[in-house]
């Protein structure tokens, strides 16, 4: 199976990225985690992205805060799918990172998830790998059914508590 790369701009992003690591573990997807910055270590970030396909990666997830150029900088150097996680790391509450990550110029896409949305970033990476992996696809389907069943159970409990019967 192809690996997922989780790249963060600073180790201060780790508490957010860990939510994604847990999802990948849950699905048994192989991954690597690195700290590379578009601004502080641009050459390492560039090289990682340029070699990623050859090194067995299928998807790259990039988490960064403030003027978050990491996902875009990685995407500029690979044709693998890149998923961006804008991190809430400043007085602007993540809006800075959201706009920096999502507003990519035509031709260099970054699939941007919600601010601090590492769970969904990892889940999207799993879904991308599952396009060519039936086992992973059926794991996704069964977890989705379990999650729906849990919501319906909560609905039944709340309905039983508050809904009046005539
Ligand atoms: C970004 O700046 C990082 O991704 C991080 O979210 C933010 C702050 O980094 P530190 O100053 O905590 O290293 O590049």
């Amino acid at each position: 199976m192809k690996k997922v790369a989780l790249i963060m701009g600073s180790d201060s992003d780790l508490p957010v990225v860990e939510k994604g690591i847990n999802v990948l573990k849950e699905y048994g997807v192989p991954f690597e985690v690195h700290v590379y910055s578009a601004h502080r270590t641009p050459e390492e970030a560039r090289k990682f992205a340029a070699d990623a396909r050859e090194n067995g990666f299928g998807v790259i997830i990039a988490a960064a805060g403030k003027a978050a150029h990491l996902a875009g900088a990685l995407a500029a150097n690979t044709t693998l799918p890149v998923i961006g996680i804008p991190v809430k790391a400043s007085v602007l509450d993540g809006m800075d990172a959201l706009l920096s990550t999502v507003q990519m110029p035509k031709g260099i896409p970054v699939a941007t998830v919600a601010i601090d949305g590492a769970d969904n970033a990892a889940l999207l990476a799993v879904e991308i790998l599952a396009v060519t992996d039936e086992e992973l696809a059926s794991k996704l389907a069964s977890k989705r059914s379990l999650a729906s069943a849990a919501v319906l159970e909560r609905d039944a409990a709340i309905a039983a508590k508050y809904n009046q019967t005539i």
Side-chain angles (χ1 to χ4, degrees):
M1 192 191 299
K2 296 281 185 194
K3 294 181 285 184
V4 172
L6 288 138
I7 313 296
M8 66 199 102
S10 165
D11 60 349
S12 65
D13 300 320
L14 188 56
V16 170
V17 170
E18 268 174 342
K19 295 187 290 174
I21 292 175
N22 292 338
V23 171
L24 296 177
K25 282 183 179 168
E26 196 181 317
Y27 283 91
V29 169
F31 62 87
E32 277 185 32
V33 186
H34 294 282
V35 179
Y36 295 132
S37 163
H39 307 119
R40 293 166 174 160
T41 61
E43 182 46 30
E44 287 76 5
R46 187 205 62 77
K47 190 168 173 15
F48 182 87
D51 297 345
R53 186 183 294 275
E54 202 181 303
N55 286 336
F57 292 95
V59 185
I60 297 177
I61 297 174
K66 297 186 174 173
H69 300 130
L70 181 60
L74 295 171
N77 289 291
T78 182
T79 53
L80 289 176
V82 174
I83 302 169
I85 308 170
V87 174
K88 179 176 167 177
S90 80
V91 292
L92 295 180
D93 281 343
M95 280 305 292
D96 42 0
L98 173 62
L99 297 178
S100 304
T101 305
V102 79
Q103 286 289 66
M104 286 298 295
K106 186 163 62 178
I108 310 292
V110 166
T112 305
V113 296
I115 295 169
D116 288 355
D119 330 56
N120 267 0
L123 210 45
L124 184 54
V126 174
E127 290 180 351
I128 291 168
L129 296 183
V131 168
T132 53
D133 186 323
E134 284 303 318
E135 202 181 323
L136 210 47
S138 75
K139 240 186 215 178
L140 280 163
S142 69
K143 282 191 191 287
R144 189 73 73 90
S145 306
L146 286 175
S148 295
V151 172
L152 294 178
E153 255 178 52
R154 291 197 287 275
D155 168 60
I158 285 173
K161 187 170 175 186
Y162 296 106
N163 295 355
Q164 296 172 351
T165 47
I166 304 166

